[in-house]
């Protein structure tokens, strides 16, 4: 049985302790956090232990990701933040950090400077016993480079974002390419339109989970099935859930991920 999880930042209005207590009571087994909003990972890890929740992974900082491929202070600062994220994961005993390798539909060309930064990041993760999970985004060539370059690195794998697959790169089945290296999941829904990254609850959009989820069983993946959803999407202005209370939204979220899990047979 896969553990069922949801991101800590899906709603406003509850403290981390209240949020984690609530999702545990609803039936969730796991969570993850985003370094953008949560920097005290050890505190979150303590709360997860209190409520017997798995702290599955941390999403590394990603604002300004394309700067990693360019010379300049912005890229150096972000690279430092990524290294710090690995340190925080290690201190909190979180096994995996999810990393973006590019941003947008027109990222800069891959440079030796950027490649060397990612090589150093992977090495730092290995030294700290933290996995690096590269996530599928808009331009598949960047992910392809990372997965090829680090195919011999035992601490490098894949984060399958099913929402991104269906709104950024329709026609590519990433699990057929990298399913044997799957480390974690981002599960959410959208209308399968280019660029429409809505982060809806499953079955509130048009993604065919019954078709997609058997990839999980085929891969042999045993980790958590993790929702990455928001009551109000920070990028699209989605208001679909504006009339739901936090508890109502989280209950609906739990029922949706249970149904997703039912397709893994």
């Amino acid at each position: 049985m896969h553990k069922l999880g949801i991101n800590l930042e899906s709603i406003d209005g509850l403290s981390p302790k209240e949020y984690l207590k609530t999702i545990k009571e609803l039936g969730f087994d796991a969570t993850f956090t985003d370094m953008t909003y949560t920097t005290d990972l050890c505190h979150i890890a303590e709360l997860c232990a209190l409520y017997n929740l798995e702290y599955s992974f941390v999403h590394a900082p990603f604002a300004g990701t394309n700067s990693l491929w360019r010379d300049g202070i912005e890229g150096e600062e972000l690279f430092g933040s990524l290294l710090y994220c690995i340190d925080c994961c290690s201190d909190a005993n979180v096994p995996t950090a999810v990393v973006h390798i590019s941003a947008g539909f027109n990222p800069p060309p891959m440079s030796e400077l950027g490649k060397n930064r990612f090589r150093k990041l992977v090495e730092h993760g290995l030294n700290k016993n933290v996995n690096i999970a590269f996530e599928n985004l808009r331009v598949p060539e960047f992910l392809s480079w990372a997965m090829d370059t680090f195919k011999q690195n035992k601490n490098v794998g894949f984060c399958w974002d099913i929402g991104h697959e269906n709104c950024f790169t329709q026609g590519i089945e990433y699990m057929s390419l990298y399913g044997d290296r799957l480390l974690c999941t981002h599960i959410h829904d959208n209308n399968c339109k280019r660029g429409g990254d809505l982060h809806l609850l499953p079955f509130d959009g048009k993604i065919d989970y019954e078709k997609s989820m058997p990839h999980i069983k085929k891969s042999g993946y045993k980790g958590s099935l993790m929702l990455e959803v928001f009551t109000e999407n920070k990028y699209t202005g989605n208001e679909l859930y504006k009339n739901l209370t936090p508890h109502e939204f989280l209950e609906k979220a739990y029922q949706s991920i249970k149904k997703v899990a039912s397709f893994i047979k």
Side-chain angles (χ1 to χ4, degrees):
M1 291 287 291
H2 295 274
K3 292 185 176 182
L4 306 181
I6 187 171
N7 51 310
L8 181 60
E9 296 87 11
S10 72
I11 61 171
D12 296 323
L14 295 178
S15 69
K17 185 174 183 178
E18 292 171 325
Y19 185 96
L20 295 173
K21 181 175 184 291
T22 298
I23 65 171
K24 181 63 179 181
E25 290 172 346
L26 288 171
F28 285 102
D29 311 295
T31 192
F32 82 93
T33 63
D34 186 329
M35 281 288 287
T36 303
Y37 307 104
T38 306
T39 55
D40 189 354
L41 303 191
C42 289
H43 174 61
I44 300 300
E46 290 171 357
L47 292 176
C48 287
L50 176 65
Y51 295 115
N52 193 28
L53 290 163
E54 178 182 277
Y55 196 168
S56 299
F57 55 89
V58 167
H59 201 309
F62 55 86
T65 293
N66 286 337
S67 67
L68 293 167
W69 297 100
R70 304 186 182 103
D71 193 10
I73 188 64
E74 185 181 359
E76 282 301 303
E77 289 179 346
L78 179 55
F79 179 57
S81 295
L82 293 177
L83 295 176
Y84 175 66
C85 176
I86 299 301
D87 293 337
C88 291
C89 287
S90 178
D91 291 344
N93 292 314
V94 180
T96 300
V98 173
V99 174
H100 285 193
I101 196 167
S102 67
F105 286 107
N106 296 290
M110 283 183 273
S111 64
E112 284 305 312
L113 173 64
K115 290 177 180 179
N116 285 332
R117 282 171 171 159
F118 283 107
R119 290 186 182 105
K120 291 176 182 176
L121 182 68
V122 166
E123 182 179 6
H124 190 59
L126 184 62
N127 291 336
K128 291 287 187 172
N129 197 32
V130 175
N131 298 318
I132 308 292
F134 289 108
E135 181 178 350
N136 57 294
L137 291 152
R138 294 166 180 82
V139 181
E141 289 79 9
F142 284 78
L143 178 62
S144 177
W145 171 80
M147 299 304 286
D148 288 345
T149 299
F150 303 115
K151 61 185 176 183
Q152 301 301 324
N153 293 74
K154 63 181 181 180
N155 71 314
V156 173
F158 175 49
C159 173
W160 183 32
D161 190 308
I162 187 172
H164 290 174
E165 180 177 302
N166 282 274
C167 72
F168 291 152
T169 53
Q170 294 98 329
I172 298 177
E173 289 189 347
Y174 285 99
M175 286 293 286
S176 297
L177 299 173
Y178 311 122
D180 60 336
R181 300 173 67 186
L182 186 63
L183 292 177
C184 52
T185 58
H186 285 173
I187 299 172
H188 50 100
D189 212 337
N190 56 60
N191 293 327
C192 300
K193 294 181 179 179
R194 181 175 168 85
D197 188 22
L198 302 178
H199 287 267
L200 303 175
L201 294 176
F203 312 105
D204 285 344
K206 295 183 178 180
I207 293 176
D208 188 343
Y209 293 94
E210 188 170 9
K211 177 183 176 182
S212 299
M213 285 301 108
H215 286 296
I216 294 285
K217 182 175 182 179
K218 184 177 180 180
S219 73
Y221 172 72
K222 302 300 182 184
S224 59
L225 302 177
M226 187 68 70
L227 290 172
E228 187 186 33
V229 293
F230 303 99
T231 52
E232 183 178 352
N233 188 274
K234 296 173 176 60
Y235 306 105
T236 65
N238 166 53
E239 295 185 341
L240 185 62
Y241 309 112
K242 66 179 182 179
N243 293 323
L244 297 180
T245 67
H247 191 278
E248 287 171 339
F249 175 78
L250 291 172
E251 185 173 23
K252 180 176 172 68
Y254 180 66
Q255 295 303 321
S256 74
I257 194 64
K258 273 184 65 178
K259 186 174 178 180
V260 168
S262 73
F263 295 136
I264 304 173
K265 300 174 182 177

